Amino acid sequence: MTPPNPAAGTASAMAALPSRYNAADDLLSRNLAAGRGGKTAYLDDTAALTYAELDDRARRFAGALRAAGFRQEERVLVCALDTIDFPVVFLGCLLAGVVPVAVNTLLTAEDYAYMLGHSGARAVVVSEPLLPVMKAAIDQSGLSPTVIQAAPHADAAPSCSVGAMLARTRAPAPAAGTGPDDMAFWLYSSGSTGRPKGTVHTHANLFHTADLYARQVLGIREDDVVFSAAKLFFAYGLGNALTFPLSVGATTVLMAERPTPAAVFRRLRERKPTVFCGVPTLFAGMLAAPDLPPRAEVALRVCTSAGEALPRDIGERFRAHFGCDILDGIGSTEMLHIFLSNRPGAVRYGTTGVPVPGYELKLLDEQGEPCAEGEIGDLYIKGPSAALMYWCNRDKSRETFVGAWTRSGDKYLRDADGYYTYAGRSDDMLKVGGIYVSPFEVEAALAQHPAILEAAVIGVTDADELVKPKAFVVLRPGQQWHDGMAAELQAFIKSRLAPYKYPRQIECVPELPKTATGKIQRFRLRQREQAARA
């Protein structure tokens, strides 16, 4: 197949997708056609893959699935660490028309048991360290999927590893005859408000995010080395470390271990990535770490941030240290990647930027009417990468996918220049004295205090049954909490925000509850407060 021209304009690129389109075939074929077969596509902690090797392995994995009797749109659960096996498996599934269901590697057996049953997965690809929890999940589910071990080891049973399947399959398989709107892969939502939702994406969605964000906003290039701290099983990480670099023939650095500051610094020094993709919590931790590399030891050209809004102070200090901007943006599992972002040369820290080309945004008030300039409203998105649906969840699908628009669940305001500023999740917003207060605004102000590493703000009910803000703060290394610090922080907030927004209570905690993507789980803090008051 002739791949669509990635250099085409947005409208023409969208129209360029043929009636038969397979995203994996496109990503692989375009690099071989460009003569990049000998170039390194992936580097993990122990191995490397050239583009030619990636193409060969992905197509042979597709052939192995077909030889095993897998049919189009059957599911394979992928619970794999970030090694070179992940892109082989993910792309191989797409090539075969089989649907990879990428899942968080930090979940419990109960979570995986639910996902196995909900997805109806015929097989599970799982990394060796995760085998015990996955076997427990299979026992709980009462199902019997085929277990395929990723990152083959010498002691792996010959018939149950990715490597063994590739060794038995000599002939690469041609791409399945999928179309742009055919189901390609699933990602599960975080499940912070109930059971995780199986978000169904198409082959075209991968193309559009690479064209609209990676090319037109991030400006990714063939000579880039990309390193994403966000893992491949996240929508954000999947774009950063798979779709985007493959779309231009860049090299990607993979890291199986947790993205601690120390682990990230090691890759920044040794692998010299030019593009680094992180989250606000990680950027804050990096800046607070004593072994932060000097600018001369890294090769950063541009960084991205998503997951939660990036505090202004973090962005400005990072740029001052590394001479490199962080492009703060927002995406979602439902939209696959970033649809609202700052841009190179036009970064305004403290905002999430402007709409990505090809996407339309609107803010609606509580009555469903358009918001005025500077007014906080619910954010809706219209764009070509929206998911088809939540699998077997019609009520939630209707609630989120409203005609051509996707309801984000985020609150935002837009200024006169068209820049959007985050105001919090819709279910996190506080009304204090009848006026909306954004927890994020108070958190961002607290983070500017030299003693504070990070903060979370929730609403608590006082003796008069009125909602007032309460802050939970984590101190920077070397700082000590003292009796007068709460009053000091309250005065600090009052000097920067409207007085009614200051937190009436401030509690110092060792850490904040977070999702695996680094998002603060304010609902857990609310649950803790409710339990303490019961």
Side-chain angles (χ1 to χ4, degrees), residues 320-344:
H321 181 85
F322 286 112
C324 165
D325 269 319
I326 302 174
L327 306 183
D328 187 30
I330 183 175
S332 66
T333 305
E334 291 77 11
M335 295 303 296
L336 188 55
H337 212 274
I338 292 172
F339 50 78
L340 173 64
S341 179
N342 280 274
R343 301 190 189 187

Side-chain angles (χ1 to χ4, degrees), residues 93-403:
C93 285
L94 296 184
L95 284 166
V98 173
V99 177
V101 181
V103 298
N104 190 329
T105 58
L106 303 174
L107 301 181
T108 65
E110 181 181 359
D111 293 322
Y112 295 135
Y114 168 76
M115 292 172 177
L116 284 167
H118 180 255
S119 67
R122 270 194 59 185
V124 178
V125 177
V126 57
S127 294
E128 183 183 37
L130 308 174
L131 274 170
V133 67
M134 186 56 67
K135 288 179 178 177
I138 292 171
D139 289 342
Q140 287 184 30
S141 72
L143 303 171
S144 54
T146 301
V147 177
I148 304 167
Q149 186 174 308
H153 297 264
D155 58 352
S159 62
C160 67
S161 71
V162 172
M165 292 175 67
L166 296 178
R168 293 196 304 269
T169 309
R170 298 299 179 188
T178 53
D181 293 333
D182 282 351
M183 178 167 63
F185 63 99
W186 298 10
L187 298 169
Y188 273 97
S189 68
S190 62
S192 59
T193 57
R195 285 290 196 183
K197 299 180 288 292
T199 311
V200 180
H201 279 286
T202 68
H203 285 266
N205 289 358
L206 291 168
F207 170 80
H208 290 310
T209 54
D211 178 51
L212 300 177
Y213 175 76
R215 183 176 67 82
Q216 299 189 43
V217 175
L218 181 58
I220 194 167
R221 308 188 307 234
E222 180 181 354
D223 62 348
D224 276 321
V225 176
V226 182
F227 173 38
S228 175
K231 300 300 185 181
L232 281 160
F233 59 76
F234 296 126
Y236 178 47
L238 186 68
N240 300 339
L242 191 140
T243 321
F244 298 171
L246 295 188
S247 72
V248 295
T251 295
T252 304
V253 175
L254 297 178
M255 179 177 72
E257 66 182 295
R258 287 180 56 248
T260 61
V264 169
F265 295 158
R266 177 183 164 196
R267 275 74 181 183
L268 293 182
R269 287 187 172 104
E270 294 179 359
R271 300 298 195 184
K272 302 293 186 186
T274 56
V275 178
F276 174 63
C277 309
V279 296
T281 300
L282 176 58
F283 286 118
M286 290 167 63
L287 290 171
D291 55 342
L292 180 69
R295 184 187 301 188
E297 291 185 7
V298 304
L300 294 175
R301 179 176 71 80
V302 66
C303 296
T304 69
S305 180
E308 282 207 310
L310 181 76
R312 180 196 303 271
D313 178 63
I314 299 298
E316 291 176 344
R317 288 196 290 125
F318 191 94
R319 179 170 61 188
H321 181 85
F322 286 112
C324 165
D325 269 319
I326 302 174
L327 306 183
D328 187 30
I330 183 175
S332 66
T333 305
E334 291 77 11
M335 295 303 296
L336 188 55
H337 212 274
I338 292 172
F339 50 78
L340 173 64
S341 179
N342 280 274
R343 301 190 189 187
V347 172
R348 292 191 187 182
Y349 287 118
T351 80
T352 318
V354 298
V356 168
Y359 292 87
E360 294 180 45
L361 275 62
K362 64 182 180 182
L363 298 176
L364 301 181
D365 63 19
E366 292 179 338
Q367 287 72 46
E369 297 297 322
C371 289
E373 181 182 299
E375 181 182 350
I376 293 175
D378 291 303
L379 179 68
Y380 287 75
I381 313 101
K382 181 166 69 173
S385 63
L388 288 174
M389 60 179 163
Y390 298 130
W391 186 258
C392 291
N393 196 333
R394 192 173 187 183
D395 289 342
K396 285 292 184 182
S397 294
R398 284 176 165 174
E399 183 181 314
T400 300
F401 305 108
V402 186

